[in-house]
Amino acid sequence: MTVTSLIEALGLDVHHGGNGNVHVSRGVVGDLLSFVMGGAPEGAVWVTLQTHVNIAAVAVLKEIPLVILASGRIPDAELLERCRKEGISIATASDSPFDLCGALHDLGLKG
Amino acid sequence: MDSRYEVEFKVRGDDFLAAGEASNQIKETLIMLGVPSPISRRASVITYEAEMNLVIHSGGGILRAIITPEKLTIEAKDQGPGIPDLDLAMREGFSTASDKVREMGFGAGMGLPNIKRNSDCLQIDSLIGKGTILTATVFFHQGEGNRG
Ligand SMILES: Nc1ncnc2c1ncn2[C@@H]1O[C@H](COP(=O)(O)OP(=O)(O)OP(=O)(O)O)[C@@H](O)[C@H]1O
Ligand SMILES: [Mg+2]
């Protein structure tokens, strides 16, 4: 499914919308940057609690089109700025990482 | 592709705002040179982890990528504290990162294992008090090195 339809299906709060037409079929969850760097499938949706600018560098290198900050976390100003610059979509939700991943799984995304 | 292409970046210690910039530029260079994406993806893991280790552990250094028709070589060179026990440093989960950077999600002790997994050859030369030179190689064609 596309990033746009995924954002709609989950009712996410969009802080910056990048290219919404990108198709996503995989997901990853984690707050350890090297874990995501080493293990995330390319082009995955990333669910995390991290809010600082360095997650954008990982997203760029892993070609991650959408980062979802869980549990009501808000992106730092530098992170938002970097996502704008790099064209990465960043959205937030009050749901926990567990619930978000469950919903993503229900939508057909795989790990 | 020309026979040899080289890019070099200065990486500043503790500069978390610029961290990842060198890796990003190397990735763009590889794409520009037409390096296949499975290779450039492996390269991104290597450069990112090497760059972050320069930012976090060594007070900065130099990150370099050398591309020839056969292979990509990534070199990270610093004049930091050195690595006292390389076998220990290579172990997944081992980290000397501070609490401050751990809170940011660094310090899982997975960087060097990630580099190893994505390189065909990995060499680390380190001298305590002098610095560290990490050299990782990725071959463009299979069978030219021993992966892993
Ligand atoms: N360039 C370096 N100079 C000095 N020490 C280093 C250098 N690179 C790595 N180390 C040492 O090796 C350890 C393991 O490195 P590794 O990259 O595997 O994990 P980390 O950086 O601690 O955590 P992570 O990479 O998962 O965020 C580091 O904690 C540090 O003690
Ligand atoms: Mg590291």
Side-chain angles (χ1 to χ4, degrees):
Chain A
M1 73 191 310
T2 65
V3 165
T4 300
S5 47
L6 190 151
I7 286 170
E8 272 170 24
L10 295 181
L12 302 177
D13 220 336
V14 179
H15 291 251
H16 173 69
N19 182 356
N21 297 323
V22 177
H23 279 262
V24 285
S25 59
R26 312 282 302 267
V28 65
V29 56
D31 306 322
L32 296 172
L33 302 188
S34 289
F35 169 80
V36 174
M37 201 64 216
E42 247 68 28
V45 174
W46 180 13
V47 176
T48 186
L49 295 172
Q50 295 290 358
T51 58
H52 60 84
V53 66
N54 293 99
I55 70 170
V58 174
V60 170
L61 290 167
K62 296 301 280 189
E63 294 153 35
I64 284 170
L66 169 65
V67 179
I68 306 174
L69 307 189
S71 302
R73 303 284 174 125
I74 300 297
D76 291 356
E78 291 96 358
L79 173 59
L80 194 54
E81 177 59 34
R82 192 65 59 85
C83 286
R84 275 203 193 97
K85 187 175 152 239
E86 301 290 353
I88 300 162
S89 297
I90 183 153
T92 59
S94 53
D95 311 72
S96 71
F98 179 86
D99 287 332
L100 279 171
C101 291
L104 289 168
H105 220 270
D106 288 346
L107 289 171
L109 271 71
K110 298 278 179 270
Chain B
M1 191 190 295
D2 284 345
S3 61
R4 193 174 191 278
Y5 199 95
E6 184 173 326
V7 280
E8 186 183 291
F9 300 92
K10 193 166 185 256
V11 177
R12 279 195 305 273
D14 297 309
D15 185 347
F16 287 93
L17 212 54
E21 195 48 47
S23 301
N24 199 7
Q25 296 211 27
I26 290 172
K27 179 171 188 163
E28 276 170 16
T29 303
L30 294 179
I31 290 168
M32 192 254 305
L33 290 172
V35 170
S37 55
I39 300 275
S40 71
R41 285 169 176 177
R42 283 167 62 195
S44 287
V45 177
I46 297 168
T47 55
Y48 176 80
E49 298 292 5
E51 182 176 0
M52 289 320 302
N53 282 354
L54 294 178
V55 173
I56 293 171
H57 303 296
S58 77
I62 302 284
L63 189 67
R64 186 181 288 138
I66 303 137
I67 303 121
T68 68
E70 294 80 35
K71 65 185 181 195
L72 161 70
T73 308
I74 292 153
E75 197 181 280
K77 209 177 204 169
D78 68 64
Q79 297 178 345
I83 302 174
D85 186 339
L86 252 180
D87 287 337
L88 191 59
M90 289 305 301
R91 214 175 284 169
E92 194 154 319
F94 176 82
S95 176
T96 60
S98 67
D99 287 347
K100 182 184 153 266
V101 301
R102 279 175 202 262
E103 269 169 38
M104 297 168 77
F106 300 107
M110 292 178 77
L112 291 176
N114 277 350
I115 292 174
K116 173 112 184 126
R117 214 171 291 128
N118 285 281
S119 311
D120 292 313
C121 296
L122 173 62
Q123 190 180 340
I124 301 175
D125 297 305
S126 196
L127 256 180
I128 294 170
K130 292 275 184 208
T132 302
I133 303 175
L134 176 149
T135 313
T137 312
V138 179
F139 293 103
F140 293 145
H141 310 286
Q142 247 148 33
E144 286 179 74
N146 267 327
R147 179 109 183 247

